[in-house]
Amino acid sequence: MVARQRKFRRPLGDRRYKKLFLIAAEGIKTEPIYFGIFTDEKSIVQVSCLKGKSDSSPPQVLKRMTDHLLSEGLKSSDEAWLVVDKDQWTDEQLSQLHQWGSYQENYGFALSNPKFEYWLLLHFEEGTDIGSPRDCTERLKHWIPGYNKGFDTRKISQSQIEDAIRRAKKRDHPPCEDWPKNLGQTTVYRLIENILKARTE
């Protein structure tokens, strides 16, 4: 029997509506751990990653999101984001996600080139001279010894998150209209900016 996925229901008695950021990500471990930083019982936003059975291709990430929205819907005040790596994926595969992310104002598409670990790296350093996915992982291990997809989120502070946004913006100049084509770039900062803004509203 297939277990039913828990639905995103909110108690009717909440004094304040928690804005939902719904995320479908390529990875099943690192991304959910990271985005968990932004939501807790006291937070005025809820950040939820849709669960996947294994690491996904971009079309599978898109399907996971569209299937969920078809059954659950999304309030106009909430946001839905696709988060993937460049890896070896083709422009044709990624263009589908970009088109979906441009379809509605509260939809988004964030990509890290070469992979999500690059966004993590920017919390600690400028992230220059990345030549391959392996470079990215090895550099991250310098800051998070023993890194293997999982990590202690207590090692990431608010100021480091703000540093990562600043560094990512600096490398995304002028801002790309679709997704980062060069190694050492990420647009995850756009999603994080929206989350931080919602937490202060």
Side-chain angles (χ1 to χ4, degrees):
M1 183 190 302
V2 177
R4 295 190 64 185
Q5 192 171 22
R6 187 176 70 83
K7 296 183 178 181
F8 295 103
R9 302 294 187 195
R10 301 175 182 80
L12 296 176
D14 277 1
R15 283 182 291 177
R16 182 171 183 180
Y17 173 76
K18 289 189 176 185
K19 177 170 180 170
L20 171 65
F21 287 85
L22 186 63
I23 298 169
E26 188 173 339
I28 61 170
K29 187 174 182 180
T30 307
E31 289 89 329
I33 290 173
Y34 177 80
F35 289 117
I37 293 173
F38 301 99
T39 186
D40 57 44
E41 291 181 1
K42 296 179 181 178
S43 177
I44 63 170
V45 302
Q46 179 183 357
V47 182
S48 295
C49 288
L50 295 177
K51 292 182 178 180
K53 294 182 179 180
S54 62
D55 287 0
S56 309
S57 67
Q60 290 170 324
V61 171
L62 178 58
K63 186 176 187 307
R64 193 187 317 155
M65 176 64 81
T66 55
D67 285 351
H68 180 86
L69 294 180
L70 192 62
S71 63
E72 299 295 326
L74 188 74
K75 292 192 175 188
S76 60
S77 57
D78 294 338
E79 296 187 24
W81 283 77
L82 307 173
V83 178
V84 302
D85 303 340
K86 174 60 179 79
D87 281 338
Q88 78 280 15
W89 307 122
T90 66
D91 286 356
E92 183 179 356
Q93 289 172 312
L94 296 175
S95 67
Q96 293 179 306
L97 279 66
H98 172 252
Q99 289 171 11
W100 180 90
S102 306
Y103 181 68
Q104 288 190 187
E105 190 173 328
N106 60 335
Y107 287 4
F109 170 47
L111 180 142
S112 297
N113 191 345
K115 56 184 180 176
F116 188 77
E117 280 77 4
Y118 182 73
W119 166 250
L120 297 181
L121 183 65
L122 293 182
H123 291 67
F124 304 97
E125 59 159 272
E126 293 296 326
T128 57
D129 301 321
I130 293 294
S132 69
R134 183 173 180 176
D135 282 351
C136 189
T137 301
E138 291 305 312
R139 291 264 285 274
L140 186 60
K141 285 180 178 179
H142 172 76
W143 301 102
I144 307 178
Y147 172 80
N148 184 25
K149 297 297 181 181
F151 61 98
D152 185 351
T153 57
R154 292 173 296 181
K155 295 185 180 296
I156 295 181
S157 67
Q158 178 72 22
S159 63
Q160 287 176 306
I161 293 169
E162 292 168 357
D163 286 343
I165 292 172
R166 174 183 56 78
R167 290 163 177 156
K169 276 185 167 182
K170 181 180 178 181
R171 300 187 67 78
D172 183 32
H173 185 78
C176 65
E177 295 182 3
D178 42 24
W179 63 87
K181 299 297 196 300
N182 299 318
L183 286 168
Q185 290 184 308
T186 177
T187 50
V188 171
Y189 77 88
R190 299 178 186 179
L191 165 56
I192 305 304
E193 279 191 316
N194 285 8
I195 293 173
L196 296 182
K197 181 181 177 183
R199 293 178 74 179
T200 59
E201 290 177 343

